[in-house]
Amino acid sequence: MNKTLRKLWIGDLGALRAHLKRLDPEARRLRFGGVTSDEFIDAYVDTAFRLDATIFGVLVGGEIRASAELRSIFGGPTPDAEAAFAVEAGWQDQGLGSELMDRILTAAQNRGIARLHMICLSENARMRHIAGKFGARLTFAEGEVTGEMSPAGPTPLSLLDEFVHDAQGFVTAVFDWRR
């Protein structure tokens, strides 16, 4: 499988929209916490980059097949952020969620996020697995699971890691957009 994991840019809005619309009804419910329509996804994607989100995607053959978002919980600079993931059915159980989680943690670390939250429905075993794999403290309440992590602070190495991935990803994105 020839795949690319990179940060998504404004030029990727159409591809992100198509990816989220390809999620089957169950995957949509697990990702967004309820039943969602195509219109909901359109509105969600329209605001994605305006809400100070950092979004990563795994592209296979030029199509986003998995995505992850890091978004401030309260808006603006805050020590709390949420991570959310979506992996299309045919691409699950291949480690894409874990690869995305690694990128999300580096991004959270470099932004000084003190508490990273992952909130999912209690039946979302894949998300619970990823959260536990990366050391999140899990709490269960009223049909939801919240995983909380405390990323380390930024280091020269973590900043360089993100810079290099962003530079490589942007060059790749430009070629993707030209196709």
Side-chain angles (χ1 to χ4, degrees):
M1 167 174 55
N2 185 15
K3 64 180 168 50
T4 303
L5 189 161
R6 65 172 175 80
K7 186 178 285 180
L8 300 181
W9 308 92
I10 195 80
D12 293 309
L13 280 178
L16 178 61
R17 184 183 320 276
H19 157 61
L20 293 175
K21 285 184 176 181
R22 280 193 302 270
L23 296 175
D24 61 47
E26 179 65 2
R28 284 187 187 194
R29 187 180 74 78
L30 292 174
R31 164 59 181 87
F32 294 103
V35 176
T36 59
S37 64
D38 284 352
E39 294 76 23
F40 172 87
I41 289 174
D42 286 334
Y44 183 86
V45 171
D46 286 344
T47 64
F49 290 96
R50 286 186 266 156
L51 296 175
D52 197 29
T54 301
I55 307 172
F56 297 93
V58 176
L59 289 88
V60 181
E63 299 284 340
I64 299 171
R65 298 301 182 174
S67 61
E69 297 178 49
L70 175 66
R71 186 177 296 211
S72 169
I73 290 181
F74 304 112
T78 175
D80 289 275
E82 180 182 6
F85 299 79
V87 180
E88 294 177 27
W91 301 94
Q92 294 174 357
D93 300 319
Q94 296 183 33
L96 302 182
S98 294
E99 290 180 48
L100 286 163
M101 184 64 186
D102 187 57
R103 288 279 99 217
I104 288 288
L105 282 172
T106 300
Q109 176 181 0
N110 290 341
R111 285 153 184 76
I113 300 299
R115 288 172 300 279
L116 180 62
H117 305 269
M118 295 181 300
I119 302 164
C120 67
L121 298 174
S122 58
E123 66 264 29
N124 194 338
R126 287 182 175 98
M127 276 301 300
R128 289 194 333 263
H129 174 76
I130 290 170
K133 180 177 178 179
F134 284 86
R137 293 174 301 285
L138 301 178
T139 56
F140 297 78
E142 299 178 18
E144 286 187 344
V145 177
T146 300
E148 186 177 303
M149 306 171 76
S150 299
T155 65
L157 190 57
S158 70
L159 292 166
L160 179 63
D161 180 52
E162 185 172 6
F163 174 78
V164 168
H165 279 95
D166 284 356
Q168 290 172 334
F170 187 75
V171 170
T172 302
V174 170
F175 286 112
D176 287 345
W177 301 332
R178 293 192 65 172
R179 273 187 243 139

